[in-house]
Amino acid sequence: MIGQKLILSSIEKRYGEAWAVREFNLQVAPSEFISIVGPSGSGKTSLLTMIAGFEMPSAGTIRIGERDVTTLAPNKRDIGMVFQKYALFPHLTVRQNIAFPLKMRSRLTRRALETRVEEMLLLVQLEDYGGRYPNELSGGQQQRVAVARALVFDPPVILMDEPLGALDKKLREDMQFEIKRIQERHGATVIYVTHDQEEALTMSDRIAVMHQGRLQQVDTPEQLYRQPISAFVADFIGTMNFVPAMKIAERAGKDVVRLPGDTVIEVDRRSGTRSPGEPVGAVLRLAVRPEHIALGHWDKNNSSTLAGVVETSIFVGSAQIVLVRLKDRADVVLRVQRPAGEIARLTRGDLVEVKLDGATMLAFTGEERRAA
Amino acid sequence: MRTSSSLTSMKALPGFASLFKPRSARVFSPAASWLLVMPLLAVFAIGFLYPLAKLVDLSFSEGITATYGRLLDDPLYADVLLTTAAVALSVTMAAILLGYPVAYAMARARKRTAFIVAACVFVPLWTSVLIRSYAWIVLLQRNGIVNTLLIATGLTDQPIKMLYTQGAVTLAMTHVLLPFVILPIFSVLRTLPDDYIRAARNLGAGPARAFFLVTLPLSLPGVFAGATICFVLALGFYITPALVGGPGSMLMPTLIGQQTTVLVDWPFAAALSTVLLIMTLLVVILFRKTLSVQKGFGSVH
Amino acid sequence: MFIDRYSPPSHLIAPDEVSKAMSNSQLARSIAKLAAALSIGSILFFLVLPTLLIIPMSLSQTDYIRFPPDGLTLRWYVAYFSDPDWMAATWFSLKIALATTVSATIIGTMAALALVRGDLPCRNALQALSLGPMIVPHIVLGVALYLVFSPLQLTGSFTGFLIAHTVLAVPYVLITVIAALQRLDPMLELAALNCGASRLQSFFRIMLPNIAPGIASGSAFAFLASFDEATVAFFISDIGGKSIGRKMFEDIDFNLTPVIAAASAFMVAISIGLMCLAHTLTQARTQR
């Protein structure tokens, strides 16, 4: 196996008074594909430049396999990197670009080098484009050259900095699978930085979520989606609705909360998802995914249900998205996802019952503000 | 908290070793940076700073009254100073008036026309100032082309004295400095998006209004940059006034030339040079913000 | 021109009105356009006239110029190329200009690298200083250099000229190379380092090929800054060593003959040839 483990311990980076990265700890397993996501300015690119060696951390260590590379010069690190805008050398052909890392290492004979370059061209499906210059290629092709250049010398770790950011949506989706395929065949450990959480969900073994320079949570895509550790992560990964509520009692490991309109429900208290000791009377934010909200006919005689008014209903192909404004909390608009065609379409102004299931909801403390 | 051994050792490095370690891969190490500017500093110390310092020093060598005192006493010198500033100012004005339309045409015209206009701007720029001054002498002298044409067309029957006058100096200097005004204006105009003018037209402005309300104000930085460069260069211009101008149109540079070559009074010439130097530096410092020399020359190629 | 796009669509106006309105406004427009073209044309003529005049002057039969010329002759060129004074000055200037080009290009490129990518505490002050020779009046610098060179017997010497002209030429190299470096994607160097290249390898294999056009045009300017320079050359020349600029200045001042025009034509040919070369080099690179 080519991939090696990468260990980041207590990484900090400060520019003057401003912190870019704080108290960052992460262990990446050999051949793992891990994504670092976060809004812009969350410190993910700073982290990547420190792993690549372009900047030094203010404190902490970086290890690749058994080597401490914290202060090692970037050209001694043996890390492959795919840059945001590819950074292909404009004066060199595709073949020369891919051969460049091998030439700099001069471990191979001329013959072996040429064979290796042809292998890489084949791997990224550009065997007919070796003689072209980068600006004679499309965005997707340039992207593949960049991947080939990063992989050609079999680095144990590959860094990718928003590599698909410059491509249009359709091509981006194709390339996600392409990169994943190449990585699985090649076996390198990949650190993939993106601000696109969907991309991270599709490609990664694990995802690390960063916010304001700190690591919020690192987990598998599924765990992250189901068990976000904070309201920020809940909001950042996938789409999440937040409903304000007040805790009124505790019963058999569950929180009893009161929703707007005086509806009372029980919410599972799961370990690690929030501070468990919220006192009775505390304001909580209940998080619920769009697909976990059901809509029903409004029954005016049943006062214990949550009422909402339909704002819009959008058909998105595979599903129907309905925006519902709560009747008793006009500042809360819920996004509800229903399987398309299953139910009659709702129209603006319809009064509906919003059905929430405590088992699919998470409770967070009320103070945390929604991230922009 | 556990700190790495390598990091503590890095922090323990003595100050001088950090000279050789770049702060980030984006910059060179301080030692490499200094090594790279060293040749420039050396040649500038020998061929620029030291000579200028020596010049200023010489101007004080015979006591302040012998040089600067004389400068203040004789109204002739104040007169020359004023004339120099006045000529520089009129050259600048003329160059802007003539240069703006050319810059505009260069920026807006279609490819082929723009190329021809650009060629007409660059050809004089690449012709030595000496040669251009020489051509102006041939054009303006008593039996020169202009006089021949004037007589042939019957506009005058006596040749007019044009050479060795202030007018000739202004004309020739305007010609020499015109490209320095055109290029900064051009480089600003070129970057103005067409959309601004389209938007103005779309909002109901006629072509003239669109120009005076949108294009002109937005191109003013280029105009100021060009004007400052032109004024500064005009203040210190020697060749053209020396060849085209006469004794009646003495300017600071020609006065310095006369003191050194004819009267051989070096301390006084040094004092005059110091005054001219300070005048130039004052203008540059005053208009530092408008003067982006790089802007002007970045577009030369 | 965009003006035409804003005339109202013709189908909105009645046909006979169209022809009337069109003919009036279009006539006015054409006249305005013609006037603009004529005035810009005459300014352009004013710009190129002195340079173009060199050619008929250098070929004229008479020793003063008249229109139309009486006849054409090459004798002024023969006179120029066979005059030992002119030839000595020309060779002296060419030698200095070539040496200045080499030294100013190396010094200017190094300094540009330091100013753009370097870690220097007083970068702005250094940049201002390095552009100083463009701003300080050449006559002041000429007098100052004479004062230093004269006691050292550097006037009229190759070394003296090389120092003076390097100082004058460096800013041109600096400006063009700084511009080229600023256009260069800084990620390319990081990519080179990441690929395992050392700092030097990254400079020679990645940066240098990409800023080469900028360096080439900078050095063309450096050549001209030396070859066409006359003011400083006027002060630091002497009888033993005279640049073409000084020789020409003397001849214009004392002895106005068409030989000057022949020498000028030769100089202009060198300048324009050089700039065209620099232009083609730059174009060939940017095509990619």
Side-chain angles (χ1 to χ4, degrees):
Chain A
M1 225 26 171
I2 286 166
Q4 287 192 16
K5 66 180 177 197
L6 173 78
I7 301 169
L8 305 171
S9 13
S10 312
I11 300 290
E12 312 224 317
K13 181 67 182 174
R14 208 174 24 198
Y15 294 99
E17 288 297 293
W19 291 89
V21 176
R22 298 188 80 158
E23 270 302 303
F24 195 96
N25 289 291
L26 183 66
Q27 299 217 1
V28 186
S31 300
E32 190 176 0
F33 192 117
I34 194 162
S35 290
I36 301 179
V37 299
S40 50
S42 59
K44 53 193 196 306
T45 298
S46 291
L47 194 71
L48 207 67
T49 55
M50 284 187 278
I51 303 173
F54 302 146
E55 302 279 348
M56 295 294 174
S58 313
T61 50
I62 301 168
R63 291 172 172 279
I64 296 172
E66 299 308 316
R67 283 194 306 162
D68 181 341
V69 299
T70 314
T71 58
L72 202 63
N75 51 325
K76 305 265 165 58
R77 292 197 178 197
D78 283 341
I79 290 178
M81 182 155 177
V82 179
F83 289 81
Q84 208 167 68
K85 285 173 196 144
Y86 321 133
L88 297 177
F89 306 127
H91 61 297
L92 300 180
T93 61
V94 167
R95 210 171 261 122
Q96 288 167 327
N97 261 284
I98 298 175
F100 190 79
L102 295 175
K103 281 200 181 133
M104 291 303 109
R105 288 177 170 74
S106 62
R107 283 183 212 136
L108 297 177
T109 61
R110 202 194 145 99
R111 171 64 81 47
L113 188 143
E114 279 168 9
T115 323
R116 181 72 186 136
V117 171
E118 293 310 314
E119 269 172 36
M120 291 314 297
L121 283 173
L122 212 63
L123 179 69
V124 297
Q125 298 171 350
L126 284 174
E127 51 278 34
D128 297 332
Y129 295 87
R132 301 241 189 140
Y133 285 94
N135 70 352
E136 296 167 340
L137 300 179
S138 70
Q141 289 167 334
Q142 290 184 28
Q143 164 66 48
R144 279 187 272 198
V145 177
V147 171
R149 188 179 67 182
L151 285 173
V152 68
F153 62 101
D154 287 335
V157 174
I158 293 178
L159 308 177
M160 297 196 181
D161 185 9
E162 309 234 3
L164 305 179
L167 304 180
D168 60 50
K169 193 173 179 337
K170 185 99 180 89
L171 193 55
R172 201 159 63 216
E173 283 165 6
D174 292 344
M175 283 306 297
Q176 288 173 4
F177 289 107
E178 185 73 8
I179 288 178
K180 191 71 186 147
R181 174 185 74 81
I182 295 169
Q183 186 257 342
E184 274 165 5
R185 187 180 296 185
H186 184 271
T189 307
V190 171
I191 315 288
Y192 190 99
V193 163
T194 178
H195 67 270
D196 181 347
Q197 45 93 17
E198 254 177 72
E199 192 168 290
L201 288 172
T202 322
M203 301 177 75
S204 326
D205 296 324
R206 282 194 301 158
I207 300 174
V209 184
M210 283 185 83
H211 182 45
Q212 294 175 343
R214 291 176 191 272
L215 179 63
Q216 296 281 315
Q217 185 174 1
V218 55
D219 234 321
T220 62
E222 202 181 331
Q223 273 301 102
L224 216 54
Y225 190 80
R226 296 196 175 181
Q227 294 283 298
I229 205 165
S230 66
F232 173 79
V233 176
D235 194 27
F236 193 77
I237 300 291
T239 314
M240 188 64 93
N241 293 297
F242 288 96
V243 183
M246 185 188 281
K247 178 166 168 177
I248 52 175
E250 276 180 35
R251 191 183 300 154
K254 291 181 173 182
D255 285 340
V256 180
V257 298
R258 186 192 297 135
L259 299 175
D262 292 339
T263 324
V264 172
I265 60 167
E266 288 183 358
V267 180
D268 269 340
R269 182 197 271 177
R270 293 180 198 123
S271 60
T273 56
R274 75 221 114 109
S275 57
E278 291 289 334
V280 169
V283 176
L284 299 176
R285 298 171 73 206
L286 301 182
V288 58
R289 296 283 179 198
E291 62 270 25
H292 293 146
I293 305 177
L295 299 177
H297 283 293
W298 170 246
D299 176 6
K300 62 180 113 171
N301 300 322
N302 187 353
S303 64
S304 68
T305 52
L306 193 58
V309 182
V310 173
E311 288 268 300
T312 17
S313 162
I314 311 153
F315 174 69
V316 291
S318 55
Q320 188 187 4
I321 305 287
V322 186
L323 299 185
V324 179
R325 191 180 292 278
L326 290 191
K327 204 155 172 284
D328 298 302
R329 271 302 287 267
D331 58 329
V332 179
V333 177
L334 300 177
R335 191 182 168 94
V336 182
Q337 183 180 327
R338 312 200 299 170
E342 199 174 276
I343 319 156
R345 274 188 72 163
L346 293 162
T347 48
R348 185 182 168 83
D350 286 352
L351 213 54
V352 289
E353 182 196 343
V354 178
K355 295 178 188 164
L356 298 174
D357 177 3
T360 59
M361 296 178 86
L362 297 163
F364 298 102
T365 53
E367 287 99 71
E368 265 186 286
R369 273 182 294 112
R370 203 184 150 89
Chain B
M1 205 172 72
R2 199 176 62 91
T3 1
S4 92
S5 54
S6 57
L7 210 73
T8 30
S9 69
M10 194 182 82
K11 273 181 186 155
L13 288 178
F16 111 0
S18 70
L19 278 178
F20 296 92
K21 187 108 191 158
R23 167 152 79 79
S24 129
R26 288 167 224 272
V27 293
F28 301 146
S29 68
S33 310
W34 281 110
L35 204 69
L36 285 169
V37 281
M38 221 23 103
L40 179 120
L41 291 180
V43 79
F44 271 49
I46 300 168
F48 187 60
L49 294 176
Y50 174 65
L52 290 180
K54 179 133 184 174
L55 175 93
V56 176
D57 183 52
L58 181 72
S59 71
F60 290 107
S61 63
E62 297 186 348
I64 209 161
T65 40
T67 50
Y68 294 97
R70 198 171 126 203
L71 234 160
L72 286 174
D73 282 348
D74 196 333
L76 169 81
Y77 300 117
D79 227 41
V80 170
L81 212 65
L82 277 180
T83 316
T84 309
V87 168
L89 198 65
S90 47
V91 166
T92 307
M93 303 290 257
I96 288 171
L97 285 180
L98 295 177
Y100 197 100
V102 176
Y104 189 83
M106 208 161 135
R108 294 277 135 165
R110 264 164 291 222
K111 224 174 170 183
R112 214 184 162 74
T113 325
F115 180 79
I116 295 170
V117 176
C120 291
V121 174
F122 284 116
V123 163
L125 194 64
W126 299 327
T127 308
S128 165
V129 173
L130 266 171
I131 297 171
R132 288 187 275 166
S133 306
Y134 166 56
W136 282 112
I137 293 174
V138 173
L139 278 164
L140 299 178
Q141 66 190 339
R142 208 178 152 71
N143 53 358
I145 297 169
V146 175
N147 267 325
T148 316
L149 277 177
L150 286 179
I151 293 170
T153 50
L155 283 170
T156 170
D157 37 284
Q158 281 288 314
I160 300 170
K161 180 182 162 63
M162 287 177 286
L163 196 59
Y164 310 127
T165 62
Q166 196 134 302
V169 173
T170 311
L171 179 73
M173 273 170 71
T174 305
H175 175 262
V176 169
L177 296 176
L178 202 46
F180 293 93
V181 175
I182 294 174
L183 291 176
I185 300 178
F186 164 71
S187 68
V188 172
L189 280 176
R190 191 184 45 175
T191 55
L192 285 190
D194 280 350
D195 288 351
Y196 287 176
I197 298 138
R198 293 213 185 106
R201 297 295 317 274
N202 183 254
L203 294 170
R209 271 166 68 98
F211 174 79
F212 283 107
L213 294 178
V214 181
T215 314
L216 187 61
L218 287 173
S219 62
L220 282 182
V223 175
F224 288 138
T228 312
I229 295 169
C230 180
F231 187 77
V232 165
L233 292 178
L235 278 182
F237 227 84
Y238 176 63
I239 298 290
T240 307
L243 291 175
V244 180
S249 59
M250 193 68 88
L251 300 179
M252 276 304 273
T254 38
L255 181 64
I256 295 169
Q258 187 199 45
Q259 292 297 326
T260 55
T261 52
V262 183
L263 305 170
V264 209
D265 184 349
W266 287 98
F268 189 57
L272 288 169
S273 300
T274 307
V275 170
L276 183 60
L277 179 65
I278 289 168
M279 219 164 119
T280 313
L281 291 181
L282 273 181
V283 174
V284 171
I285 291 165
L286 225 61
F287 292 95
R288 188 182 32 185
K289 290 219 175 79
T290 69
L291 183 72
S292 165
V293 187
Q294 258 162 302
K295 200 189 286 166
F297 281 91
S299 61
V300 163
H301 47 248
Chain C
M1 287 290 268
F2 60 83
I3 294 170
D4 301 321
R5 281 182 226 152
Y6 291 87
S7 50
S10 51
H11 61 85
L12 294 180
I13 311 172
D16 58 326
E17 259 178 89
V18 172
S19 54
K20 221 188 287 170
M22 284 244 289
S23 62
N24 268 345
S25 67
Q26 277 198 334
L27 189 69
R29 259 183 223 163
S30 317
I31 290 175
K33 266 191 183 172
L34 191 72
L38 271 178
S39 48
I40 288 171
S42 44
I43 301 171
L44 293 178
F45 179 69
F46 168 71
L47 271 169
V48 290
L49 175 67
T51 310
L52 292 186
L53 204 62
I54 299 301
I55 297 156
M57 277 188 325
S58 66
L59 295 171
S60 159
Q61 283 275 5
T62 48
D63 58 1
Y64 57 93
I65 189 148
R66 53 189 309 153
F67 253 95
D70 295 337
L72 300 178
T73 173
L74 282 176
R75 76 180 151 115
W76 306 116
Y77 285 91
V78 175
Y80 167 64
F81 283 108
S82 56
D83 182 327
D85 273 8
W86 272 112
M87 282 299 104
T90 307
W91 281 117
F92 188 60
S93 277
L94 278 175
K95 260 194 329 202
I96 291 161
L98 282 174
T100 301
T101 307
V102 173
S103 67
T105 303
I106 293 172
I107 292 172
T109 304
M110 285 170 74
L113 282 168
L115 287 173
V116 177
R117 295 277 195 273
D119 189 357
L120 295 168
C122 41
R123 197 188 295 209
N124 286 342
L126 277 173
Q127 185 150 358
L129 168 69
S130 58
L131 298 180
M134 279 184 142
I135 289 159
V136 169
H138 285 189
I139 179 135
V140 174
L141 197 56
V143 172
L145 282 166
Y146 176 83
L147 293 176
V148 174
F149 285 178
S150 179
L152 299 171
Q153 294 180 339
L154 280 173
T155 49
S157 77
F158 177 79
T159 320
F161 266 94
L162 180 60
I163 293 171
H165 280 181
T166 301
V167 167
L168 291 173
V170 157
Y172 293 94
V173 179
L174 206 68
I175 283 171
T176 48
V177 178
I178 284 179
L181 280 171
Q182 281 167 344
R183 276 196 301 270
L184 184 70
D185 180 2
M187 286 298 154
L188 291 184
E189 290 160 75
L190 296 185
L193 293 176
N194 177 258
C195 285
S198 68
R199 280 271 179 197
L200 278 182
Q201 282 173 319
S202 140
F203 173 71
F204 283 108
R205 284 171 172 265
I206 303 301
M207 279 173 94
L208 194 57
N210 283 296
I211 59 168
I215 297 177
S217 65
S219 59
F221 283 117
F223 183 92
L224 291 188
S226 165
F227 193 65
D228 285 353
E229 202 282 324
T231 312
V232 171
F234 179 84
F235 284 93
I236 62 171
S237 289
D238 64 13
I239 303 161
K242 209 182 265 182
S243 77
I244 192 167
R246 165 76 190 226
K247 165 76 180 152
M248 197 176 273
F249 189 95
E250 285 172 3
D251 277 35
I252 296 171
D253 227 10
F254 303 117
N255 173 26
L256 206 59
T257 72
V259 182
I260 301 169
S264 300
F266 177 69
M267 280 179 84
V268 171
I270 288 184
S271 303
I272 290 179
L274 196 66
M275 291 329 286
C276 290
L277 188 73
H279 183 73
T280 1
L281 277 177
T282 321
Q283 287 302 98
R285 272 294 183 172
T286 47
Q287 287 298 307
R288 262 214 206 114

